[in-house]
């Protein structure tokens, strides 16, 4: 792979469009670009970095916050005007395929001379051999897979000024990073990272699963035991039920032997008669009570009837004769008392006789009144009493007749009851009663058992339902366990993969380390002028770099030797990387002593024999000696002409 | 090392490992998928990743 042309437009000190065609021939593989300090050599390196990776890794500190748009263009812009910066690289590989990368950034002039970035874009194109048309392709693909991936670009585009620092501090870390970068094992790293994430994902998933198989099994077992017990109990109850039913059948058979119906019929008749007898007895008692009451209350009236009839008759007569009420009235007595003399002539005007007559007057008036009242009162009563007395015999007769009838009926019933009792006695009624009692007891027991069986069956059904439910859950849990087992197997697979990949990564790193070690020493020996002084360069497993002298001892190096070591290391890394990209070195010889410088100048074209080399040299580096050495290998030569007045650089073919 | 060289080396090393064939197969498939993903941001990456691991599980269980 070579760079055919670099085209810069308004990039930093390169105003307008400036093209730098570069070349490569088998015997002439060096392109020289010479410029004074500040002319833009390092920015040329930055331009290539920016074009490919969008970064300016080699910027001077003073330029870090300075936009890349050329200052002159920037100043000339009016408010609201836009201008582009672009860097374009045209490359070609050994098979004649063309690759073109253009990165463009647009700027807008704002207020107070502010220059504002508007947008940045990168495009890539590919051209088939012997064709003129460029086809667009994804830039990342072209850059990383056809030109040079970012991870290894430092082994191709490097700054001599900074190179020396590679072996000055944090050497092991830098060497390790460089070997990691050149090993291109990012694929392994990314795969490892994804595998670790996946493993964690599965692990988290598996943690969520905690199958309750043991617990469910215990529940099922316990319920099954309970169910067995229930079934056994149900069977026992069923057996008892059957026993009872058998007993019942036996009793019924016995009862049938006793003609139960007949017994019932007789008992029924007996009961009916018994009830009838009870009623009759009650009626008889009632009649007797009634008769007794009649005799007690009305009997005396019957005895007094004659006397009463006489009284009535007498009273009638007395009234008819006017003897009643009595004729001795109060007026007569009062007249006697007024006269003071009795009809018999006795003086009653005073004394005891008069008092007696006065008392009599009082008594007679009361008696007469009372007698009259009493006679008037008893007259209807007497009539009524006589009426009752007359009815007494009828009533007594009626009651007597009814009593006789009832007593006759009672006697007949009692006769019937005696007959029935005889019949029932003949039927062994006590045994029947006992059997019926037993039957009733058994029937009650049977009902109880049926109820118990029903309850037990309900319990059994519930237990069966529970077992079914738990077994269904258990199935799910078993599936979960299966899934968990799968997850664990997946985790195991991933762990195996991780282990294998880690081993492979370490092996590759070790191989790369060993190869880099060998090539570094090979190149170092080529570039160094004291070839016999150094016996070996070691890059240990911890990436410590050690230089061993001819005596087998660790030795220190001069600044120049350090830079040569760095150059050798970079060359070794470039070799190991396998990429055939051009090597661009900015000021490679500035800090190297004359002997080393000449040696490097002599060795460079050789150790980078099939590689396009672009050297960015200061005028001080490009001495006559160097020029003499490099000239035969030089394919193109440019001068960076810096115009101090305009503050811009022009690339001029030299 | 350029990418295809690294890939070849990795594959060769995987083959040399004394591990289950299932592990070797899954590693090769995963690396291939990762490579495609790095290159093109493969849209069905996660889905295919899971498929490869599940496939390896089946292989492992059968094996």
């Amino acid at each position: 792979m070579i760079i055919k042309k670099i085209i810069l437009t308004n990039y930093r000190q390169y105003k307008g469009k400036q093209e730098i065609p570069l070349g490569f021939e088998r015997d002439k593989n060096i392109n020289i670009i010479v410029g004074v300090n500040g002319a833009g050599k390092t920015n040329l390196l930055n331009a290539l970095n920016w074009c490919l990776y969008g970064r300016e890794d080699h910027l001077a500190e003073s330029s870090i916050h300075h936009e890349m748009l050329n200052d002159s263009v920037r100043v000339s812009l009016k408010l609201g005007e836009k201008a582009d910066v672009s860097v374009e690289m045209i490359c070609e590989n050994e098979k004649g395929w063309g690759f073109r990368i253009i990165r463009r950034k647009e700027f807008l002039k704002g207020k107070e001379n502010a220059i504002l970035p508007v947008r940045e874009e990168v495009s890539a194109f590919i051209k088939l051999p012997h064709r003129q048309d460029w086809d667009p392709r994804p830039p990342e693909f072209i850059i990383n897979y056809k030109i040079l991936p970012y991870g290894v670009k430092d082994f191709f585009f490097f700054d001599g000024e900074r190179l020396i620092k590679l072996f000055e501090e944090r050497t092991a870390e830098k060497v390790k990073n460089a070997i990691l970068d050149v090993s291109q094992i990012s694929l392994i790293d990314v795969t490892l990272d994804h595998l670790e994430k996946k493993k964690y994902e599965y692990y988290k998933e598996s943690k969520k699963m905690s199958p309750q198989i043991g617990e469910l099994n215990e529940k099922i077992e316990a319920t099954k035991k309970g169910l067995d017990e229930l079934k056994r109990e149900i069977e026992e109850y069923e057996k008892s039920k059957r026993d009872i039913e058998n007993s019942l059948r036996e009793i019924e058979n016995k009862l049938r032997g006793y003609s139960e119906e007949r017994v019932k019929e007789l008992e029924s008749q007996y009961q009916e008669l018994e009830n009838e007898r009870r009623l009759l007895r009650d009626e008889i008692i009632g009649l007797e009570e009634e008769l007794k009451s009649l005799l007690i209350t009305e009997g005396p009236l019957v005895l007094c009837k004659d006397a009463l009839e006489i009284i009535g008759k007498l009273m009638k007569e007395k009234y008819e004769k006017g003897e009643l009420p009595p004729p001795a009235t109060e007026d007569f007595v009062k007249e006697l008392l007024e006269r003071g003399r009795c009809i018999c002539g006795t003086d009653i005007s005073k004394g005891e006789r008069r008092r007696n007559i006065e008392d009599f007057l009082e008594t007679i008036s009361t008696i007469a009144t009372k007698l009259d009242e009493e006679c008037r009162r008893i007259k209807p009563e007497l009539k009524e009493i006589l009426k009752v007395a007359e009815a007494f015999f009828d009533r007594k007769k009626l009651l007597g007749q009814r009593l006789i009838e009832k007593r006759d009926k009672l006697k007949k019933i009692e006769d019937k009851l005696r007959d029935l009792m005889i019949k029932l006695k003949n039927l062994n009624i006590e045994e029947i009663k006992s059997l019926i009692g037993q039957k009733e007891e058994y029937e009650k027991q049977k009902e109880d058992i049926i109820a118990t069986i029903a309850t037990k069956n309900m319990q059994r059904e519930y237990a069966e339902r529970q077992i079914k439910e738990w077994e269904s859950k258990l199935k799910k849990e078993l599936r979960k366990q299966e899934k968990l087992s799968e997850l664990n197997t997946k985790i195991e697979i991933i762990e195996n993969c991780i282990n294998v990949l880690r081993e492979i990564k370490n092996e590759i790193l070790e191989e790369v380390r060993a190869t880099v070690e060998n090539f570094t020493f090979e190149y170092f020996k080529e570039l160094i002028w004291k070839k016999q002084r150094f016996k070996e360069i070691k890059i240990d497993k911890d990436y410590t770099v050690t230089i061993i002298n001819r005596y087998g001892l660790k030795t220190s190096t001069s600044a120049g030797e350090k830079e040569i070591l760095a150059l050798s290391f970079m060359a070794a890394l470039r070799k190991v990387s396998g990429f055939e990209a051009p090597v661009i070195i900015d000021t490679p010889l500035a800090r190297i002593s004359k002997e080393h410088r000449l040696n490097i100048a002599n060795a460079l074209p050789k150790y980078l024999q099939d590689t396009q080399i672009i050297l960015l040299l200061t005028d001080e580096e490009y001495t006559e000696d160097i020029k003499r050495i490099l000239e035969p290998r030089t394919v193109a030569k440019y001068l960076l002409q810096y115009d101090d007045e305009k503050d811009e650089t022009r690339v001029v073919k030299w | 090392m350029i990418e295809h060289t690294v890939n070849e080396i990795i594959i060769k090393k995987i083959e040399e490992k004394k591990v289950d064939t299932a592990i070797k197969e899954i590693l090769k498939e995963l690396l291939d998928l990762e490579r495609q993903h790095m290159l093109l941001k493969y849209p069905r990456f996660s889905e295919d990743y899971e498929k490869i691991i599940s496939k390896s599980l089946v292989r492992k269980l059968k094996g």
Side-chain angles (χ1 to χ4, degrees):
Chain A
M1 164 77 67
I2 59 163
I3 300 172
K4 296 272 285 182
K5 195 188 276 184
I6 301 168
I7 304 165
L8 309 170
T9 306
N10 297 331
Y11 180 79
R12 297 204 178 269
Q13 51 276 73
Y14 299 94
K15 189 186 174 186
K17 186 175 178 180
Q18 298 197 48
E19 297 188 2
I20 312 171
L22 299 167
F24 173 78
E25 291 169 19
R26 185 157 182 79
D27 299 329
K28 291 186 172 184
N29 59 341
I30 297 177
N31 292 271
I32 290 173
I33 300 171
V34 179
V36 294
N37 282 333
K41 293 186 302 298
T42 307
N43 276 342
L44 206 49
L45 197 61
N46 276 323
L48 296 180
N49 268 296
W50 181 67
C51 176
L52 292 175
Y53 313 111
R55 304 169 57 135
E56 295 172 285
D57 288 345
H58 304 274
L59 268 189
E61 278 195 24
S62 58
S63 302
I64 287 172
H65 301 295
H66 201 83
E67 281 297 352
M68 61 179 64
L69 180 64
N70 178 268
D71 282 345
S72 176
V73 175
R74 176 185 182 150
V75 171
S76 68
L77 283 177
K78 291 175 184 165
L79 183 67
E81 274 187 344
K82 288 178 184 171
D84 277 354
V85 173
S86 70
V87 176
E88 182 176 348
M89 272 175 79
I90 300 168
C91 307
E92 190 180 280
N93 71 7
E94 61 279 11
K95 291 175 184 169
W97 288 66
F99 305 102
R100 201 170 138 211
I101 310 291
I102 309 161
R103 190 176 292 270
R104 186 175 284 115
K105 194 170 183 179
E106 192 179 53
F107 291 91
L108 173 76
K109 181 72 175 269
K111 287 179 184 172
E112 297 172 359
N113 281 330
I115 195 80
L116 308 165
V118 179
R119 65 191 168 95
E120 183 179 326
E121 60 182 18
V122 60
S123 320
F125 303 88
I126 194 165
K127 184 168 75 72
L128 296 173
H130 315 299
R131 296 280 293 271
Q132 296 302 313
D133 46 333
W134 290 94
D135 292 326
R137 288 284 189 278
E140 294 82 9
F141 174 72
I142 298 294
I143 294 164
N144 288 311
Y145 294 91
K146 299 296 176 189
I147 300 179
L148 195 64
Y150 182 75
V152 294
K153 64 101 184 169
D154 280 343
F155 316 129
F156 292 83
F157 304 167
F158 51 91
D159 181 349
E161 293 279 338
R162 293 184 186 181
L163 195 62
I164 196 161
K165 291 177 185 168
L166 182 68
F167 287 96
E168 280 182 353
E169 53 186 19
R170 295 189 292 120
T171 311
E173 186 187 328
K174 288 176 191 166
V175 170
K176 182 185 175 184
N177 289 339
I179 286 178
L180 276 169
D181 286 343
V182 83
S183 300
Q184 284 285 286
I185 49 169
S186 52
L187 180 67
I188 293 182
D189 285 335
V190 169
T191 310
L192 277 171
D193 187 42
H194 282 150
L195 282 169
E196 289 285 0
K197 280 180 185 159
K198 202 74 197 168
K199 180 183 149 186
Y200 182 63
E201 198 180 292
Y202 287 149
Y203 183 70
K204 268 205 310 191
E205 204 178 324
S206 72
K207 282 284 152 198
K208 281 184 207 161
M209 292 184 186
S210 54
Q212 298 168 321
I213 291 162
E215 197 186 321
L216 276 170
N217 265 330
E218 276 174 23
K219 277 184 182 177
I220 291 167
E221 283 307 308
T223 314
K224 274 186 176 172
K225 263 187 192 174
L227 186 64
D228 289 344
E229 183 65 21
L230 271 171
K231 282 178 180 172
R232 196 187 56 73
E233 281 176 15
I234 290 168
E235 266 178 34
E236 277 179 14
Y237 280 116
E238 290 283 3
K239 189 176 171 296
S240 301
K241 193 181 133 202
R242 282 194 298 276
D243 290 346
I244 287 169
E245 282 169 347
N246 287 336
S247 301
L248 277 169
R249 267 193 293 278
E250 277 174 25
I251 289 169
E252 278 163 6
N253 285 338
K254 276 184 188 174
L255 284 172
R256 264 195 288 279
Y258 284 120
S259 179
E260 190 193 0
E261 293 305 316
R262 178 68 184 144
V263 173
K264 277 186 179 170
E265 190 189 321
L266 289 174
E267 275 192 330
S268 171
Q269 284 177 20
Y270 188 90
Q271 278 302 323
E272 275 177 30
L273 288 170
E274 184 62 41
N275 289 340
E276 209 174 334
R277 182 175 70 169
R278 201 178 299 123
L279 283 171
L280 272 172
R281 275 183 179 164
D282 290 345
E283 279 179 42
I284 288 166
I285 289 166
L287 287 169
E288 284 172 349
E289 286 296 316
E290 202 177 338
L291 186 60
K292 202 190 283 176
S293 169
L294 183 72
L295 291 170
I296 291 168
T297 55
E298 296 176 22
L301 292 177
V302 174
L303 292 173
C304 301
K305 189 185 170 236
D306 291 344
L308 288 171
E309 278 176 345
I310 294 166
I311 290 168
K313 197 175 171 183
L314 195 63
M315 277 174 68
K316 192 180 174 185
E317 285 172 5
K318 289 284 180 187
Y319 271 104
E320 281 171 358
K321 288 178 185 172
E323 289 174 358
L324 272 176
T329 62
E330 279 180 60
D331 296 338
F332 175 70
V333 177
K334 280 177 186 173
E335 194 183 324
L336 288 177
L337 284 170
E338 278 174 11
R339 272 192 232 156
R341 193 161 298 271
C342 182
I343 52 173
C344 66
T346 310
D347 186 15
I348 53 169
S349 61
K350 56 182 177 184
E352 192 179 348
R353 286 181 181 150
R354 185 175 179 90
R355 276 194 303 274
N356 287 338
I357 290 170
E358 283 172 352
D359 289 343
F360 175 72
L361 175 64
E362 195 175 340
T363 304
I364 203 168
S365 77
T366 308
I367 287 171
T369 308
K370 279 190 177 178
L371 185 65
D372 184 46
E373 282 174 2
E374 198 61 25
C375 285
R376 288 176 193 280
R377 187 184 66 81
I378 63 170
K379 197 176 172 184
E381 275 188 13
L382 195 62
K383 252 186 192 172
E384 191 63 30
I385 288 166
L386 285 169
K387 211 172 170 182
V388 168
E390 276 167 14
F392 170 80
F393 292 102
D394 293 340
R395 285 183 65 198
K396 181 178 163 279
K397 192 179 170 185
L398 189 67
L399 278 170
Q401 279 174 349
R402 283 176 67 193
L403 262 172
I404 290 163
E405 281 170 19
K406 296 287 177 189
R407 278 174 183 150
D408 286 349
K409 204 174 177 183
L410 179 65
K411 190 176 172 297
K412 282 176 188 167
I413 286 170
E414 282 173 343
D415 291 346
K416 280 184 185 174
L417 278 171
R418 263 191 304 278
D419 291 345
L420 280 172
M421 188 54 77
I422 290 161
K423 286 178 187 172
L424 279 167
K425 273 180 184 169
N426 291 337
L427 287 175
N428 195 354
I429 198 77
E430 285 308 316
E431 194 181 342
I432 291 167
K433 278 184 179 171
S434 163
L435 285 171
I436 289 169
Q438 280 179 39
K439 188 185 169 191
E440 281 173 356
E441 182 60 30
Y442 279 134
E443 274 171 350
K444 191 175 176 301
Q445 279 181 21
K446 187 183 163 186
E447 275 174 21
D448 289 346
I449 285 176
I450 288 170
T452 310
I453 289 172
T455 311
K456 297 278 175 191
N457 272 328
M458 278 168 68
Q459 288 173 350
R460 191 199 67 197
E461 280 167 21
Y462 178 70
E464 282 171 346
R465 272 204 308 277
Q466 269 203 325
I467 289 170
K468 209 172 171 185
E469 197 179 306
W470 286 331
E471 279 176 342
S472 162
K473 271 188 187 171
L474 184 66
K475 267 186 194 170
K476 280 182 193 165
E477 293 299 303
L478 284 169
R479 277 200 292 275
K480 219 191 255 184
Q481 196 185 34
E482 205 176 310
K483 172 90 178 154
L484 185 64
S485 163
E486 275 181 16
L487 278 175
N488 286 333
T489 313
K490 282 181 180 178
I491 290 170
E492 194 191 325
I493 289 170
I494 287 178
E495 276 173 350
N496 283 332
C497 287
I498 288 171
N499 290 339
V500 170
L501 272 185
R502 279 193 184 139
E503 275 179 31
I504 291 173
K505 179 183 170 179
N506 289 335
E507 284 170 19
I508 290 175
L509 284 177
E510 176 53 23
E511 284 165 17
V512 170
R513 185 200 62 77
T515 313
V516 169
E517 186 183 69
N518 288 338
F519 278 122
T520 303
F521 186 58
E522 194 181 307
Y523 292 138
F524 184 77
K525 267 180 75 179
E526 197 73 45
L527 294 173
I528 206 89
W529 71 278
K530 295 175 190 168
K531 298 191 189 302
Q532 297 307 312
R533 192 182 163 217
F534 303 102
K535 186 186 170 191
E536 193 182 359
I537 291 175
K538 278 186 176 177
I539 300 174
D540 292 336
K541 289 188 179 176
D542 62 356
Y543 301 99
T544 311
V545 179
T546 317
I547 301 175
I548 310 292
N549 65 16
R550 69 180 84 187
Y551 307 110
L553 303 169
K554 283 184 190 175
T555 187
S556 58
T557 47
S558 67
E561 285 166 348
K562 273 200 180 83
E563 189 173 339
I564 289 171
L565 176 64
L567 269 173
S568 308
F569 181 65
M570 298 304 257
L573 290 168
R574 190 195 63 81
K575 178 87 177 170
V576 169
S577 80
F579 283 93
E580 296 295 336
V583 172
I584 305 168
I585 314 175
D586 182 20
T587 55
L589 310 169
R591 296 177 63 179
I592 302 176
S593 64
K594 190 184 172 189
E595 291 82 5
H596 287 312
R597 194 183 290 179
L598 294 175
N599 215 38
I600 287 170
N602 268 317
L604 258 180
K606 193 181 166 191
Y607 94 97
L608 296 172
Q609 199 172 4
D610 299 321
T611 307
Q612 183 188 39
I613 303 169
I614 301 156
L615 296 175
L616 304 168
L617 302 168
T618 62
D619 52 345
E620 287 171 358
E621 281 178 289
Y622 197 52
T623 59
E624 284 303 318
D625 292 343
I626 298 295
K627 190 178 172 183
R628 200 170 43 250
I629 294 169
L630 295 179
E631 193 73 38
R633 305 282 298 185
T634 302
V635 65
K637 196 160 75 172
Y638 295 93
L639 186 64
L640 301 179
Q641 273 186 345
Y642 176 67
D643 186 332
D644 193 27
E645 276 187 24
K646 293 181 180 172
D647 188 25
E648 61 183 56
T649 296
R650 307 291 312 166
V651 184
V652 180
K653 195 162 173 61
W654 192 2
Chain B
M1 287 183 285
I2 52 176
E3 191 227 359
H4 72 267
T5 317
V6 178
N7 292 342
E8 281 167 17
I9 291 169
I10 296 170
I11 301 296
K12 191 166 169 264
K13 283 185 180 293
I14 289 171
E15 290 293 355
E16 286 166 2
K17 292 285 164 196
K18 287 177 183 170
V19 288
D20 269 1
T21 316
I23 301 293
K24 288 181 184 179
E25 290 306 312
I26 182 185
L27 267 174
K28 284 193 269 182
E29 285 182 36
L30 283 178
L31 284 163
D32 193 45
L33 182 69
E34 293 280 11
R35 194 162 37 244
Q36 286 183 57
H37 188 53
M38 279 171 80
L39 197 64
L40 302 164
K41 294 284 171 213
Y42 190 58
R44 295 200 337 261
F45 177 73
S46 299
E47 198 183 321
D48 283 10
Y49 205 95
E50 191 63 48
K51 271 186 196 168
I52 291 170
I53 291 173
S54 298
K55 201 163 75 181
S56 75
L57 176 74
V58 176
R59 274 198 211 119
K60 173 100 182 167
L61 294 174
K62 277 185 185 170

